[in-house]
C-alpha cells in the first residue's frame, strides 16, 4: 500500500486491494503473499475526507463493501498472507492483519480501532483475533492503541524487528513457506479456515450494520466533521 500521507484507502483503493490479493491467490505460480506498505504507517483505515466530501451514503456504502471485500480477500486468499506492519495500523488495518495468516511488525508499530471516535463500528471481529476478549472490549470503548511488543506478548505477532529489518524478516518467512509443497500449503490454508471457530465475514458484516445505523442517526457526521476539521467532537447524541 502506498497512498500518502497515512495510507488511508479510498473506496476504489479497498476494492483494488481486494482484487490484487484475489488475483495473486488464483495464480498457481504464487506460493505466498506479503502485504506491506510505504510511508508513515501500514494503514489508517478508510478515507474519511472522501466520505465527508460525498453527498448521500454512496461513499459510506462503498467503504463498507470495499473493506468487506478486502478483508475477505485476505482471509480467503488461496495461499498464506503475511502482513508486514510498521507505524500505525488502525481501523481497516486491523481488519487486514486480523485476517492475515502471519504478522510481523517493526518496533515502532502500534495498533488500534479509533472507530468510536469516528462515528463507526467494525473490525472488533478482527481485533478479537489479536487480543483477549476483555482487552478487545476496552480498546474498542476507549479507542486506545497497543504497541507491537504488547501484541507480541499475546502471541499474535510472529516477530518484532527493527524498522530497517521488517521487509527482510517478512520475506524470510515467505521464503521458508515457498520451500514447501504448494499443493500442501494451499490445502493447509483451506483446512485451517475450515476449522476456524468464528465466521469472520458474517460477524464483521453484523458490525457494519451498526455503522450504517449510526449514520442514519446523524451522530457519525458529527464525529467525522470534527475529525476533518481537526477538532474534538461535541456530541449531542
Amino acid at each position: 500500500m502506498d497512498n500518502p500521507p497515512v495510507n488511508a484507502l479510498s473506496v476504489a483503493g479497498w476494492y483494488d486491494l481486494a482484487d490484487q490479493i484475489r488475483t495473486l491467490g488464483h495464480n498457481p505460480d504464487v506460493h505466498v503473499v506479503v502485504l506491506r506498505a510505504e510511508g508513515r504507517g501500514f494503514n489508517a483505515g478508510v478515507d474519511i475526507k472522501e466520505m465527508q466530501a460525498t453527498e448521500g451514503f454512496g461513499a459510506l456504502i462503498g467503504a463498507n463493501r470495499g473493506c468487506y471485500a478486502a478483508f475477505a480477500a485476505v482471509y480467503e486468499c488461496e495461499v498464506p498472507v503475511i502482513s508486514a506492519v510498521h507505524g500505525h495500523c488502525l481501523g481497516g488495518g486491523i481488519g487486514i492483519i486480523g485476517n492475515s495468516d502471519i504478522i510481523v511488525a517493526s518496533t515502532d508499530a502500534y495498533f488500534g480501532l479509533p472507530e468510536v471516535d469516528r462515528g463507526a463500528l467494525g473490525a472488533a471481529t478482527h481485533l478479537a483475533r489479536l487480543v483477549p476478549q476483555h482487552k478487545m472490549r476496552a480498546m474498542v470503548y476507549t479507542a486506545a492503541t497497543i504497541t507491537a511488543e504488547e501484541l507480541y506478548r499475546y502471541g499474535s505477532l510472529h516477530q518484532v524487528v527493527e524498522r530497517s529489518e521488517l521487509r527482510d524478516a517478512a520475506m524470510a518467512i515467505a521464503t521458508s513457506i515457498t520451500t514447501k509443497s504448494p499443493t500442501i500449503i494451499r490445502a493447509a490454508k483451506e483446512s485451517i479456515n475450515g476449522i476456524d471457530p468464528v465466521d469472520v465475514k458474517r460477524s464483521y458484516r453484523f458490525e457494519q450494520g451498526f455503522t450504517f445505523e449510526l449514520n442514519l442517526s446523524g451522530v457519525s457526521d458529527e464525529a467525522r466533521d470534527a475529525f476533518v476539521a481537526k477538532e474534538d467532537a461535541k456530541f449531542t447524541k
Side-chain angles (χ1 to χ4, degrees):
M1 292 172 284
D2 188 7
N3 188 39
V6 294
N7 278 328
L9 299 185
S10 65
V11 171
W14 284 107
Y15 279 112
D16 182 56
L17 179 62
D19 289 343
Q20 290 192 49
I21 292 172
R22 289 197 181 278
T23 297
L24 290 169
H26 290 325
N27 186 341
D29 294 328
V30 173
H31 293 216
V32 59
V33 171
V34 176
L35 182 57
R36 63 185 190 88
E38 299 292 339
R40 289 160 51 184
F42 180 76
N43 186 275
V46 303
D47 187 343
I48 293 177
K49 292 181 179 179
E50 176 190 47
M51 192 172 295
Q52 292 309 95
T54 305
E55 292 292 331
F57 295 112
L60 171 66
I61 295 171
N64 273 7
R65 289 187 175 275
C67 285
Y68 181 88
F71 301 168
V74 172
Y75 186 76
E76 295 173 341
C77 185
E78 295 167 44
V79 298
V81 176
I82 300 171
S83 284
V85 182
H86 75 278
H88 54 262
C89 180
L90 304 171
I94 296 295
I96 292 171
I97 70 166
N99 274 358
S100 297
D101 295 280
I102 299 170
I103 311 164
V104 294
S106 58
T107 53
D108 68 340
Y110 61 97
F111 309 80
L113 289 181
E115 266 55 10
V116 297
D117 289 339
R118 307 289 183 262
L121 293 172
T125 291
H126 310 91
L127 184 59
R129 297 164 69 83
L130 303 171
V131 301
Q133 174 71 206
H134 287 88
K135 181 65 174 179
M136 177 273 288
R137 288 172 179 261
M139 289 179 67
V140 169
Y141 299 148
T142 65
T145 59
I146 189 172
T147 66
E149 288 294 341
E150 290 177 283
L151 206 53
Y152 178 77
R153 289 199 294 270
Y154 286 124
S156 303
L157 300 185
H158 180 76
Q159 192 176 4
V160 178
V161 299
E162 294 300 321
R163 174 79 170 268
S164 61
E165 301 169 0
L166 181 60
R167 185 180 185 278
D168 287 344
M171 294 304 292
I173 300 167
T175 299
S176 175
I177 293 172
T178 65
T179 66
K180 315 300 181 184
S181 160
T183 302
I184 294 174
I185 289 295
R186 286 173 178 263
K189 175 68 182 275
E190 185 176 356
S191 69
I192 291 171
N193 280 5
I195 63 170
D196 203 321
V198 176
D199 184 339
V200 293
K201 293 170 63 179
R202 180 176 180 180
S203 58
Y204 176 56
R205 195 64 173 152
F206 179 81
E207 291 185 78
Q208 287 187 318
F210 287 93
T211 294
F212 198 76
E213 184 176 302
L214 289 170
N215 273 269
L216 292 176
S217 75
V219 69
S220 296
D221 269 326
E222 293 180 28
R224 290 195 300 265
D225 285 342
F227 174 79
V228 172
K230 298 182 179 180
E231 301 173 349
D232 292 330
K234 296 179 176 61
F235 293 112
T236 60
K237 299 180 182 179

